[in-house]
């Protein structure tokens, strides 16, 4: 067989694999095996290999989103110190980078300018000019600073260009439904991370009677808040996915993240109402399983109200879920002061000026204010406020004009991560949070345009 024939066979196989019903379950099972067996690093390399093969043999870049999400979730094993992965990075990054370059060249498409280009350009500028004149050269040129300044700005702009150009191609599948598959798989795997943690520490959990300390709790909670809404469309397909919805809600509670508990309850309630709306015909028919589900929900609400205060007793501060003495309050005060001292462009995203009150900084992270509004004001001043208001407005406008379409689930995801961003880094993490938003809103933009064209044709007929 010649090389051309081999390559074409590979393309056919990759496309069939990506479009098969088994694609997501297999990725989930492989990742779950890594969690249960403690072989996360090996499985991460397997997933990198899958991503490389898909990049080489498949022009659909959406195909690598789920494997990459699985890699990010498996990497939580190294959450306290990601530098432990540094010796292995070249063996993954080099083949992945080569495959990306091949994909961009061989499957190249003309760039498409979408509605989010101007606000993303504004955000890129705000991140780069933030703190200039105030931040030290040492802080500005740190690798970590560049990761966030470029990762949240220029890289997201390039990702948007790439997503927009590739989404011009029509596919055999519904893009919103496929994105829901990706998010749902990631949500189940994030839940599995929590479940496996408690399985390993079950005796300690029974002995304490409260949620256990889990270092990456806020990270997992952020992922769950972004993925929970995907279960809405999954449940519309098959009722069995109500179990997945319940598992994700339970995992949010068991993370031990107070933010996850608070905002997860809100997001779960909204998603629950939307699920009822989607299945309103079934509800109107008074099917027996709807009453069973209602009784189960009522029982869970009762248990939650009665036992969650006990479950979270180890997470209370001075007897409260939130306390005025927390460092997060100090971050807000510092952010406001930084904004007032440097109102035009702030002190810079990479500034270490406030590191003195940061008690638990993780290697490779910024000195976050833990509040998205304060982060923008303190780090980028009025320039940042205008840039981020612009992109927020464009995203909300897109969602509000598609309230009656499945695109609303992206709005729920956005609301969930924005809520989490009020007490944690959230949208200021380039990967996976900010990148997922770029992909979701690129899909939403394309689907909205397509629906408008369909409506125009129907009106003219």
């Amino acid at each position: 067989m010649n090389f051309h024939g081999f390559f074409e066979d590979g393309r056919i196989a990759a496309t069939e694999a990506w479009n098969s019903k088994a694609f997501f379950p297999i990725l989930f099972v492989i990742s779950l095996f890594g969690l249960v067996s403690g072989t996360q690093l090996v499985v991460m390399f397997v997933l990198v290999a899958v991503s490389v093969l898909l990049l080489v043999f498949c022009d659909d870049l959406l195909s690598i989103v789920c494997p990459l999400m699985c890699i990010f979730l498996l990497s939580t094993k190294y959450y306290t110190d990601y530098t432990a992965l540094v010796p292995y990075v070249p063996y993954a990054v080099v083949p992945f980078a080569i495959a990306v370059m091949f994909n961009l060249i061989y499957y190249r498409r003309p760039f498409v300018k979408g509605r989010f280009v101007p606000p993303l350009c504004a955000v890129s500028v705000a991140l780069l000019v933030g703190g200039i004149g105030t931040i030290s050269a040492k802080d500005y040129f740190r690798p970590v600073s560049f990761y966030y300044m470029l990762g949240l700005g220029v890289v997201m702009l390039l990702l948007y260009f790439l997503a927009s150009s590739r989404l011009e191609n029509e596919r055999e599948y519904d893009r919103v439904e496929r994105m829901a598959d990706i998010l749902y798989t990631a949500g189940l795997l994030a839940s599995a991370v929590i479940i496996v943690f408690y399985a390993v520490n079950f005796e300690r959990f029974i002995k304490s009677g409260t949620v256990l300390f889990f270092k990456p709790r806020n990270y997992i909670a952020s992922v769950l808040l972004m993925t929970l809404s995907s279960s809405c469309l999954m449940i519309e397909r098959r009722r069995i996915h109500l179990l997945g919805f319940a598992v994700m809600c339970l995992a949010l509670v068991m993370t031990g993240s107070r933010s996850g508990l608070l905002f997860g309850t809100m997001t779960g309630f909204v998603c629950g109402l939307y699920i009822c709306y989607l299945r309103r015909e079934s509800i109107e028919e008074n099917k027996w399983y709807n009453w069973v589900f209602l009784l189960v929900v009522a029982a869970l609400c009762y248990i939650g109200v009665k036992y969650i205060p006990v479950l979270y007793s180890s997470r209370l501060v001075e007897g409260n879920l939130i306390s005025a003495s927390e460092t997060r309050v100090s971050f807000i005060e510092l952010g406001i002061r930084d904004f007032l001292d440097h109102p035009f462009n702030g002190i810079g995203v990479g500034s270490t000026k406030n590191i003195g009150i940061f008690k638990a900084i993780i290697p490779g992270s910024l000195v976050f204010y833990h509040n998205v509004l304060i982060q923008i004001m303190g780090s980028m001043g009025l320039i940042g406020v205008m840039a981020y208001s612009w992109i927020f407005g464009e995203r909300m406008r897109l969602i509000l004009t598609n309230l009656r379409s499945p695109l609303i689930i992206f709005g729920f995801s956005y609301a969930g991560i924005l809520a989490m961003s009020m007490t944690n880094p959230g949208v200021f993490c380039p990967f996976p949070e900010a990148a997922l938003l770029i992909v979701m809103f690129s899909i939403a933009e394309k689907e909205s345009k397509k629906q408008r064209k369909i409506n125009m044709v129907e009106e003219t007929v």
Side-chain angles (χ1 to χ4, degrees), residues 292-313:
V292 172
F293 179 67
L294 184 62
L295 289 173
V296 171
V297 169
L300 289 175
C301 288
Y302 171 76
I303 294 170
V305 170
K306 187 172 182 179
Y307 293 106
I308 282 182
V310 177
L311 193 64
Y312 268 70
S313 59

Side-chain angles (χ1 to χ4, degrees), residues 357-374:
I357 66 164
F358 203 101
K359 298 178 181 178
I361 190 165
I362 297 170
S365 68
L366 291 177
V367 183
F368 288 110
Y369 290 103
H370 284 68
N371 181 288
V372 65
L373 300 177
I374 301 302

Side-chain angles (χ1 to χ4, degrees), residues 301-329:
C301 288
Y302 171 76
I303 294 170
V305 170
K306 187 172 182 179
Y307 293 106
I308 282 182
V310 177
L311 193 64
Y312 268 70
S313 59
S314 62
R315 298 288 297 127
L316 300 180
V317 181
E318 298 176 354
N320 301 306
L321 196 63
I322 302 171
S323 172
S325 64
E326 289 192 59
T327 51
R328 280 180 172 84
V329 177

Side-chain angles (χ1 to χ4, degrees), residues 18 50-51 54-55 60-69 96:
W18 163 232
V50 170
S51 301
L54 288 170
L55 283 167
D60 191 350
L61 288 178
L62 201 60
S63 64
I64 67 168
V65 176
C66 193
L68 292 179
M69 280 299 300
F96 184 80

Side-chain angles (χ1 to χ4, degrees), residues 92-289:
V93 170
V94 171
F96 184 80
I98 293 172
V100 168
M101 292 304 298
F102 174 84
N103 188 286
L104 294 178
I105 296 170
Y106 187 81
Y107 302 110
R108 61 186 177 277
R109 300 283 186 275
F111 275 163
V112 176
K113 182 181 178 182
R115 67 191 293 174
F116 292 110
V117 169
L120 283 171
C121 285
V123 167
S124 300
V125 171
L127 286 161
L128 290 171
V129 304
I132 289 181
T134 303
I135 188 173
S136 67
K138 180 181 178 182
D139 281 349
Y140 188 90
F141 290 105
R142 284 190 307 149
V144 171
S145 300
F146 267 104
Y147 170 71
Y148 285 94
M149 285 191 297
L150 296 177
L152 291 167
V154 174
V155 172
M156 292 302 122
L157 177 62
L158 293 175
L159 180 59
Y160 175 66
F161 273 126
L162 186 58
S164 296
S165 64
R166 292 302 175 86
L167 289 171
E168 287 293 296
N169 288 10
E170 286 300 322
R171 303 291 179 183
E172 297 178 1
Y173 58 82
D174 183 296
R175 290 193 183 97
V176 180
E177 292 280 349
R178 188 59 61 91
M179 193 66 201
D181 287 325
I182 294 169
L183 295 174
Y184 188 70
T185 304
L188 290 180
L189 184 58
S191 302
V193 171
I194 298 297
I195 293 169
V196 170
F197 170 76
Y198 276 92
V200 172
N201 297 279
F202 186 70
E203 289 185 10
R204 191 156 60 95
F205 170 60
I206 294 299
K207 185 178 180 179
S208 68
T210 66
V211 289
L212 300 177
F213 177 77
F214 183 60
K215 187 68 175 177
R217 58 186 178 276
N218 290 319
Y219 172 69
I220 293 296
S222 296
V223 173
L224 285 168
L225 282 169
M226 290 193 75
T227 57
L228 184 61
S229 62
S230 64
S231 57
C232 297
L233 297 188
M234 304 300 290
I235 291 166
E236 188 180 17
R237 291 186 213 166
R238 295 182 65 193
R239 289 189 301 275
I240 189 66
H241 294 300
L242 280 167
L243 291 175
F245 178 71
V247 167
M248 281 190 254
C249 289
L250 177 63
L252 263 169
V253 173
M254 297 308 296
T255 58
S257 167
R258 291 170 293 165
S259 302
L261 175 65
L262 177 62
F263 303 127
T265 301
M266 295 164 56
T267 305
F269 178 74
V270 172
C271 289
L273 291 178
Y274 187 60
I275 290 166
C276 291
Y277 170 76
L278 290 174
R279 300 196 63 83
R280 58 192 181 280
E281 292 181 2
S282 173
I283 293 172
E284 289 170 359
E285 293 173 2
N286 290 316
K287 297 289 187 179
W288 65 269
Y289 47 75

